Amino acid sequence: MTEVLVEVDDLKVHFPIKRGAFFDRVVGHVKAVDGVSLRIEKGKTYGLVGESGCGKSTLGRALLQLTKPTGGTVNFDGTELTTLPTKQLRSMRRRMQMIFQDPMSSLDPRQNVESILTEGLQAHGIGGDRAERRKLIAKTLDAVGLPQWALSRYPHEFSGGQRQRIGIARAVVLNPDLIVADEPVSALDVSIQAQVINLLEDLQEELGLTYLVIAHDLAVVRHISDTVGVMYLGALVEEASGDDLYERPLHPYTRALMSAVPVPDPEVEDRRERILLAGDLPSPANPPSGCRFHTRCPWAQPTRCGDERPGLRVIGTGTHRVACHWAEQIESGEIRPHAVTAEVVADGAGAVEAHGTLAAALETPGGPVV
Amino acid sequence: MSVKTDKIDRLSELSAVKQEEQGVSLWTEAFRRLRRSPSAIIGASILLIFVIVAIIGPWVAPYSPTDTIGIREGVVKSGQGIIPGASAEHWLGYDHQGRDLFSRMLVGARQTLLVGVISTLIGLTIGAIIGGIAGAAAGLGGRVGRWVDNVLMRFVDIMLALPSLLLAVSIAALLGASLTTVMIAVGLVSVPIFARLLRGAMLAQSGGDYVLAATSLGVTRRRIALTHIVPNSLAPVIVQATLTLATAIIEAAALSFLGLGNPDSSVPEWGVMLADAQSYLGIRPGLAIYPALGIIITALGFTLLGEAMREALDPKLRK
């Protein structure tokens, strides 16, 4: 059994929705993250996938306490972060770093690379004098594949891939244990993506890093992750080892997600089964009762799905966890998929059920068409 | 060898040279753009001349600005409406008290520059402090910070709600007529602009990813505000300061014109000269035209430079 570095339990991040011209009145909450529990093992990579707006970035930020969680706990190597006083939290930050999606906006345009890399060292008093810091920075530049002349340069003088390397160097120079990478490659060209992903893997091997990689690109996540978690509307719906999840997706949402990945073989691609989901992502301010996914699920059953929220439960091998009441029956084919009438969701509170059958629903008469 | 390889060799040479170079900061780049802008060159030239005149004016003036030569020599009889115009000895003629107008213009430049610069500095300093505190508090300070921001900004709103000239007049009336009063009044009037501008820019910056990145590095909030947010919010404030210099000069002239300026007319100032000229507009419009031209051209210089700086600092705005 490997050591657990991060343990998140029932983490919740609710943002208040405020109204009113003079006095702010809280009229509701956007439940960006609503009860997520996960563990990340030391030296491993946890991949988090989900569509935009499902709360995966918020989860990453809440884990690092960059956004204050509303509830739940985050245990980092034996230390509870959610109740940690500001000062201790600040010194704890050395051990958990973040890589951002947009390498341009996450670098201060008025700082040169040396200053960017020195900042963290200064904040934590690492490296003593200037000469020693320079040595440490030079070593880090080498490690991320940036030339030494980069030191006096400014972010706008670099290409996208190089900027992301600067961002990685900024995180790595502090010698952290955990790195949360929020969409680390989605702003980059495909050719550069591979380079950066490989760099992240090399660094992990060299420095024994633990990653939480947040992405919407399934291929990227599969390539880099040991464990993959799938998020839908603020909650984990399935979690399994990378290969297991991709070969045997159990949750209906995961199945739909996987079926959206194109196959680079025209013949297979033509015959590939696709599950098209009907309707929009429901508003996180007013999530559906019971299973969050039941409004769009082609396998939804009249019982349980609408009124009982499924928790993650282990199925099969022991590492595969699914939040679905009917996972076994769906897998065995006992429950057949059916058409889903899309719900027209009004903005915010008070969803109007108009039962307008959208074109998307018509395209899925029997779910997966083989 | 072939032309192709020659080209490649030259390219690699060029890129090698480039690697030796130092990095170019945003300020350096902005300055480069500024140097290429014609309106910046024109504005800067006007201001350079103005500043030189303001500095050496008293030494190069052909006559004393307070010497009533015209009356002594009996050429100026303003009571009878006789104020001679330009001549070989007196390039712009006399003023109503028989003083050499050209000398008064030269010497007056210094006062005008002083009023503009000092009142802008007053406005900039107070405004930047209020806006900086409010911006930092609102952006990073949480609940208490939002409260601090609210109090400061409502205070600024009150200042903004009063018509600026009325505010300046009441301040001037309260402190008594003098040049210092004019500077304070004009300065205070521009406080809300600077405060709001800096606060807004800081708020926009504090939502940025690099602020989050600095937080996740473990940098203190105070350091983030001072080393990241403020430097990135300064560009619009600098531009505004240049533009305010122009309006400050005009407003100071307006206050002097209304009789709230320096009552001691022995120290020439363009605004006061303009005010004095109003009784003699029909006889010698030149008495009003020359100081007015001085004020307009100087204000134009500051405006041209300010607009050019705005474009240089934020290339996205360029048409």
Side-chain angles (χ1 to χ4, degrees):
Chain A
M1 184 79 194
T2 41
E3 215 178 320
V4 173
L5 181 69
V6 185
E7 186 158 6
V8 176
D9 190 41
D10 198 27
L11 193 69
K12 287 181 179 145
V13 184
H14 296 180
F15 296 111
I17 308 168
K18 286 178 179 169
R19 292 262 167 80
F22 289 102
F23 301 100
D24 287 345
R25 202 157 42 88
V26 177
V27 294
H29 285 93
V30 172
K31 293 166 181 157
V33 178
D34 202 18
V36 170
S37 306
L38 56 87
R39 331 164 107 207
I40 307 173
E41 286 168 359
K42 208 167 243 178
K44 294 287 166 66
T45 301
Y46 191 105
L48 207 54
V49 288
E51 61 195 291
S52 7
C54 75
K56 51 192 195 303
S57 288
T58 311
L59 174 62
R61 284 170 193 203
L63 194 151
L64 293 177
Q65 308 298 309
L66 292 171
T67 305
K68 271 280 162 211
T70 322
T73 58
V74 179
N75 191 300
F76 178 79
D77 206 14
T79 312
E80 178 50 44
L81 295 182
T82 47
T83 52
L84 206 61
T86 319
K87 236 182 172 166
Q88 274 106 300
L89 180 64
R90 213 166 58 70
S91 52
M92 192 57 113
R93 290 204 182 283
R94 185 195 67 74
R95 301 184 54 197
M96 35 188 212
Q97 284 301 308
M98 185 156 181
I99 297 170
F100 293 83
Q101 171 176 12
D102 182 352
M104 192 65 214
S105 70
S106 65
L107 300 171
D108 184 342
R110 300 195 189 279
Q111 261 187 320
N112 62 23
V113 172
E114 182 173 10
S115 157
I116 290 171
L117 297 184
T118 316
E119 191 168 32
L121 296 176
Q122 260 171 357
H124 296 286
I126 305 169
D129 61 345
R130 207 186 144 91
E132 209 171 314
R133 273 184 194 150
R134 287 205 92 140
K135 219 186 274 170
L136 196 61
I137 288 171
K139 218 180 82 194
T140 311
L141 281 184
D142 269 343
V144 300
L146 281 173
Q148 293 298 326
W149 52 259
L151 277 181
S152 68
R153 297 298 185 96
Y154 291 81
H156 65 97
E157 298 175 86
F158 292 94
S159 67
Q162 284 175 316
R163 279 181 207 146
Q164 195 57 290
R165 283 171 198 268
I166 299 171
I168 293 171
R170 171 172 65 185
V172 167
V173 77
L174 290 176
N175 192 20
D177 299 310
L178 171 74
I179 290 185
V180 173
D182 188 356
E183 305 265 12
V185 295
S186 48
L188 305 175
D189 282 349
V190 179
S191 57
I192 312 290
Q193 284 188 358
Q195 289 177 14
V196 171
I197 290 288
N198 289 338
L199 172 65
L200 287 176
E201 282 189 320
D202 291 347
L203 288 171
Q204 179 168 45
E205 210 164 292
E206 245 172 82
L207 306 168
L209 292 167
T210 306
Y211 288 135
L212 173 64
V213 176
I214 299 162
H216 59 253
D217 187 328
L218 294 164
V220 165
V221 168
R222 179 178 193 175
H223 180 75
I224 197 169
S225 306
D226 298 299
T227 309
V228 179
V230 182
M231 263 184 99
Y232 180 77
L233 214 63
L236 277 177
V237 294
E238 187 163 5
E239 185 193 271
S241 72
D243 292 336
D244 201 9
L245 184 84
Y246 283 78
E247 272 153 29
R248 194 170 149 241
L250 293 176
H251 196 281
Y253 178 67
T254 320
R255 287 184 163 214
L257 209 59
M258 296 298 165
S259 77
V261 180
V263 180
D265 178 336
E267 271 176 42
V268 180
E269 174 69 18
D270 275 349
R271 288 182 284 108
R272 187 165 63 93
E273 66 172 56
R274 296 197 59 194
I275 306 168
L276 287 170
L277 291 180
D280 286 327
L281 186 67
S283 161
N286 183 32
S289 62
C291 176
R292 295 283 154 91
F293 190 56
H294 85 267
T295 49
R296 300 167 77 191
C297 182
W299 285 273
Q301 296 300 303
T303 54
R304 299 187 78 190
C305 288
D307 36 55
E308 191 184 332
R309 192 173 168 191
L312 283 175
R313 60 198 175 92
V314 175
I315 286 183
T317 54
T319 53
H320 204 136
R321 301 197 295 158
V322 189
C324 177
H325 296 303
W326 309 99
E328 291 93 343
Q329 286 87 333
I330 291 171
E331 204 197 3
S332 66
E334 203 177 303
I335 298 177
R336 299 288 301 159
H338 50 78
V340 178
T341 38
E343 219 174 81
V344 175
V345 181
D347 185 33
V352 184
E353 284 190 45
H355 284 294
T357 312
L358 296 184
L362 293 171
E363 280 181 39
T364 49
V369 184
V370 183
Chain B
M1 266 214 248
S2 72
V3 185
K4 220 175 202 171
T5 46
D6 272 1
K7 251 187 189 164
I8 291 171
D9 281 348
R10 253 195 67 63
L11 274 177
S12 67
E13 231 170 73
L14 281 175
S15 61
V17 170
K18 216 183 156 210
Q19 286 176 11
E20 301 285 311
E21 262 176 43
Q22 280 288 304
V24 184
S25 80
L26 286 187
W27 294 120
T28 322
E29 195 136 288
F31 185 67
R32 267 188 202 167
R33 278 196 291 271
L34 199 59
R35 271 193 325 205
R36 290 200 203 103
S37 149
S39 65
I41 303 287
I42 297 171
S45 316
I46 293 175
L47 294 179
L48 190 68
I49 295 169
F50 176 54
V51 169
I52 290 173
V53 168
I55 293 170
I56 62 167
W59 290 290
V60 295
Y63 302 92
S64 157
T66 51
D67 187 6
T68 52
I69 336 160
I71 293 187
R72 218 176 338 107
E73 290 172 355
V75 222
V76 174
K77 297 187 186 75
S78 38
Q80 294 158 39
I82 304 172
I83 305 172
S87 63
E89 289 94 54
H90 302 280
W91 291 356
L92 299 180
Y94 301 92
D95 78 348
H96 64 289
Q97 291 188 15
R99 296 171 293 200
D100 181 53
L101 190 59
F102 182 60
S103 302
R104 284 181 72 76
M105 284 294 294
L106 288 183
V107 179
R110 180 181 287 186
Q111 297 299 317
T112 304
L113 181 68
L114 221 56
V115 172
V117 170
I118 291 180
S119 54
T120 303
L121 278 181
I122 292 173
L124 177 67
T125 314
I126 301 177
I129 290 172
I130 295 178
I133 293 174
L140 303 169
R143 194 183 286 269
V144 184
R146 275 197 296 277
W147 185 81
V148 171
D149 170 55
N150 248 322
V151 170
L152 284 174
M153 287 336 273
R154 289 305 82 75
F155 172 71
V156 168
D157 282 349
I158 292 170
M159 283 183 78
L160 208 59
L162 299 169
S164 62
L165 196 63
L166 191 69
L167 188 64
V169 169
S170 13
I171 294 169
L174 213 67
L175 298 176
S178 78
L179 200 65
T180 327
T181 307
V182 172
M183 292 183 203
I184 294 174
V186 173
L188 286 184
V189 162
S190 63
V191 163
I193 304 167
F194 286 113
R196 298 197 71 119
L197 201 63
L198 185 60
R199 172 183 175 270
M202 283 178 71
L203 269 188
Q205 294 296 330
S206 41
D209 269 357
Y210 68 86
V211 172
L212 200 66
T215 313
S216 78
L217 280 181
V219 183
T220 55
R221 281 188 292 193
R222 178 196 304 252
R223 235 188 112 79
I224 292 175
L226 290 179
T227 63
H228 293 290
I229 300 180
V230 169
N232 277 296
S233 313
L234 276 184
V237 177
I238 293 170
V239 171
Q240 184 60 42
T242 320
L243 297 173
T244 302
L245 274 167
T247 47
I249 288 173
I250 294 172
E251 268 178 40
L255 287 187
S256 298
F257 185 81
L258 292 172
L260 296 162
N262 194 355
D264 177 11
S265 72
S266 64
V267 184
E269 198 263 320
W270 292 352
V272 182
M273 287 161 71
L274 196 60
D276 287 344
Q278 56 186 316
S279 330
Y280 306 97
L281 266 182
I283 314 163
R284 280 233 64 79
L287 286 184
I289 289 172
Y290 295 123
L293 266 182
I295 292 168
I296 290 168
I297 291 173
T298 314
L300 179 73
F302 279 119
T303 310
L304 281 176
L305 186 65
E307 289 292 341
M309 271 167 71
R310 185 209 299 281
E311 280 178 15
L313 287 170
D314 192 353
K316 274 170 268 169
L317 280 179
R318 245 185 310 194
K319 288 157 213 158

